[in-house]
Amino acid sequence: FFYLPVVMSSATAIPIDPSFAEAFKDHSARYFVVRIVNELLVSEYKHPKGGSLEADWNTIAQKADNRAGYILVQTEPRKWLTITFVPQGTKIRDKMVYAATKATLLNHLGYQFFYDELHANDNNELSYDYFQSSKKPTFALSAYEVEREQVHKEEDRERDFRSSMHTQNQNKGIGGYHSVAMPFDAKAKEMVRNLASGQYNFVELAVNAAKNGITGEKGKNVSIAALGSEVNTMEPRYYLVKNQSRNAFVYCCPPKSPQKLRMVYSTAKGSVMAEAKALGFSVAKAGEISEPSEFNSQYLNELGAPSPSTSYGGSYGANRFGGPTRSSGASPAASRSSVIQGAHPVYSLMGASPNSGRSKKVVLPPPGAY
């Protein structure tokens, strides 16, 4: 591809050879090789329809003869493709003329017959394989995104299979999915209870070797800055963390994880959260990571600041705006009042609460205050 030093913004007024225009009308040709000769658009070659589009197409390079021109190809009945062929070595003036005359050519023959166009600079780009590759959509996903998408598809298939095979043990999971029951062993239960009581701030849970239950891998105190070093980079895991009195549940699925394990862990996530809740460890919402670097304090703070609509386990935790937590003894009115005070501290500055009954006056800031 190349850049022209001058751009011709309007089509040329080059006329078309009447005999070529007439030959085009019956749509009997597979393709035409069209060139500008003596300021006239003429057909230098007309190729009849053969056995297949591919067989006919593969003769184009030879008939184009490595000279600038247009190749009009009928790919389907009365559906034409325009190829603007400008090989290396073409004079700058000719490049400009052919670029500006294409619209004139299509206008002469009828825009309604042309559905697409290609640009070619060498014989390889005139091949049928090149045409086929040009029809494929551009795949904009990164390798990581492709792998993640495939994992999710496999998890969905495994989830559907397991829910159909274990309907008697199904628990309604998060997001409308059915979760496969995965009971905790004694070690896992002890670790989660110790985590809930504050003895630990970090627990790692894993699916057992038989893939029919959950076992405890680690129960310890870990600094938040060192959480990434605790992540298993070869297999999925569930991580339960206490962070500044907030609970977090994180499902980690490393890119190198075996596919079968990915599916098992994904389908069991809801069951694990429900079992942890029964042992005293309730979470607002679950998180999902794939790399150790994602497991940090910022991510945990985001998990620890849920909205009411996303709570899981009945406890909202601290509000991200510094508002109160929901308590079982607080009335809706009191809760609403405290929220107003937290969101609008101007009430406290005026020396009156929203429900005191005292009159309040609104003070507008002077121009330019903000």
Side-chain angles (χ1 to χ4, degrees), residues 83-130:
I83 304 175
T84 303
F85 181 49
V86 184
Q88 298 296 328
T90 303
K91 295 179 180 180
I92 295 295
R93 181 183 180 282
D94 291 342
K95 292 179 180 180
M96 296 168 62
V97 170
Y98 274 100
T101 306
K102 181 178 65 177
T104 303
L105 172 64
L106 302 187
N107 186 51
H108 282 313
L109 299 176
Y111 277 104
Q112 68 273 22
F113 299 120
F114 295 89
Y115 72 95
D116 205 353
E117 62 179 302
L118 290 175
H119 297 268
N121 298 110
D122 55 45
N123 287 341
N124 179 61
E125 294 178 353
L126 290 177
S127 67
Y128 183 76
D129 289 341
Y130 184 82

Side-chain angles (χ1 to χ4, degrees), residues 7-287:
V7 176
M8 302 186 72
S9 59
S10 59
T12 63
I14 295 176
I16 190 170
D17 180 8
S19 62
F20 165 41
E22 193 65 29
F24 179 83
K25 287 181 180 178
D26 63 10
H27 301 279
S28 61
R30 173 64 75 188
Y31 66 83
F32 291 94
V33 177
V34 181
R35 291 195 172 91
I36 301 172
V37 180
N38 297 327
E39 300 299 317
L40 186 67
L41 285 163
V42 300
S43 171
E44 290 198 342
Y45 177 74
K46 174 184 177 181
H47 191 88
K49 290 182 181 178
S52 67
L53 174 61
E54 181 177 2
D56 291 340
W57 193 296
N58 286 331
T59 66
I60 289 178
Q62 178 187 357
K63 301 302 181 183
D65 195 27
N66 203 39
R67 292 188 292 133
Y70 308 108
I71 297 96
L72 311 181
V73 187
Q74 187 173 196
T75 57
E76 298 178 34
R78 304 176 72 84
K79 293 184 66 176
W80 294 77
L81 174 80
T82 309
I83 304 175
T84 303
F85 181 49
V86 184
Q88 298 296 328
T90 303
K91 295 179 180 180
I92 295 295
R93 181 183 180 282
D94 291 342
K95 292 179 180 180
M96 296 168 62
V97 170
Y98 274 100
T101 306
K102 181 178 65 177
T104 303
L105 172 64
L106 302 187
N107 186 51
H108 282 313
L109 299 176
Y111 277 104
Q112 68 273 22
F113 299 120
F114 295 89
Y115 72 95
D116 205 353
E117 62 179 302
L118 290 175
H119 297 268
N121 298 110
D122 55 45
N123 287 341
N124 179 61
E125 294 178 353
L126 290 177
S127 67
Y128 183 76
D129 289 341
Y130 184 82
F131 164 65
Q132 289 295 101
S133 65
S134 71
K135 294 167 59 178
K136 296 179 180 178
T138 302
F139 204 59
L141 296 180
S142 65
Y144 171 78
E145 290 170 328
V146 171
E147 184 176 13
R148 192 65 171 266
E149 185 178 29
Q150 182 62 29
V151 168
H152 288 162
K153 289 179 180 178
E154 292 166 355
E155 289 174 347
D156 288 342
R157 288 196 294 267
E158 180 73 7
R159 184 181 292 112
D160 292 340
F161 170 75
R162 283 175 171 263
S163 63
S164 65
M165 295 296 292
H166 301 278
T167 53
Q168 70 274 18
N169 293 322
Q170 286 178 345
N171 294 317
K172 191 68 175 178
I174 300 173
Y177 289 115
H178 291 282
S179 174
V180 178
M182 283 285 195
F184 283 24
D185 64 10
K187 187 177 180 182
K189 290 181 178 179
E190 181 183 5
M191 287 183 178
V192 174
R193 288 193 183 103
N194 289 338
L195 176 68
S197 66
Q199 184 174 340
Y200 303 145
N201 74 340
F202 175 85
V203 165
E204 176 184 329
L205 301 177
V207 174
N208 62 23
K211 297 182 177 60
N212 60 3
I214 300 297
T215 186
E217 291 285 315
K218 298 177 186 176
K220 57 197 293 190
N221 286 306
V222 179
S223 68
I224 300 302
L227 284 176
S229 63
E230 300 292 333
V231 172
N232 188 315
T233 59
M234 302 305 295
E235 293 185 357
R237 288 291 187 269
Y238 304 114
Y239 298 104
L240 283 63
V241 181
K242 266 191 174 295
N243 178 34
Q244 299 176 349
S245 76
R246 298 176 179 175
N247 297 341
F249 180 99
V250 178
Y251 163 49
C252 179
C253 183
K256 298 179 181 179
S257 304
Q259 293 183 357
K260 290 293 185 182
L261 278 181
R262 294 175 180 179
M263 294 185 284
V264 172
Y265 273 83
S266 177
T267 55
K269 183 169 63 175
S271 171
V272 174
M273 292 182 69
E275 186 81 9
K277 176 190 173 185
L279 295 170
F281 187 85
S282 297
V283 296
K285 55 185 176 182

